[in-house]
Amino acid sequence: GRTKVDLETMVHGVEDALKNFQPRRPLTVAVMGCEVNGPGEAKEVDYGIANGKGQGLLFKEGVVIGKYKESEIVGKLVDEIRRNEQ
């Protein structure tokens, strides 16, 4: 009910971008659509995004490491994972 972004497209974008990626360790990644509950839930994973209308927060191991436009957030998440987990 609170989701203000196209969450399904975001999830598919992350899945597609990481489909053949082989991380150095098992990872938990969250793509959250709720700006109210998402930040708390995204803090429990290795990498995550919590999205509100037009923007989102990027998390790494429970810490907010950036705030990005909705159009950029999936790419920023994927870039962060690839940069740190190869």
Side-chain angles (χ1 to χ4, degrees), residues 2-66:
R2 295 184 189 139
T3 302
K4 306 276 193 257
V5 297
D6 183 356
L7 189 60
E8 189 173 340
T9 298
M10 288 183 163
V11 169
H12 289 301
V14 172
E15 288 176 337
D16 289 346
L18 297 175
K19 182 174 18 181
N20 296 317
F21 181 67
Q22 297 294 319
R24 59 182 169 81
R25 64 184 174 114
L27 297 175
T28 305
V29 178
V31 179
M32 309 300 295
C34 177
E35 61 191 346
V36 176
N37 295 330
E41 294 171 6
K43 284 185 175 186
E44 300 297 320
V45 299
D46 297 310
Y47 296 91
I49 53 177
N51 298 282
K53 186 175 181 177
Q55 62 188 2
L57 298 175
L58 175 60
F59 292 86
K60 179 181 176 189
E61 297 174 352
V63 177
V64 175
I65 60 170

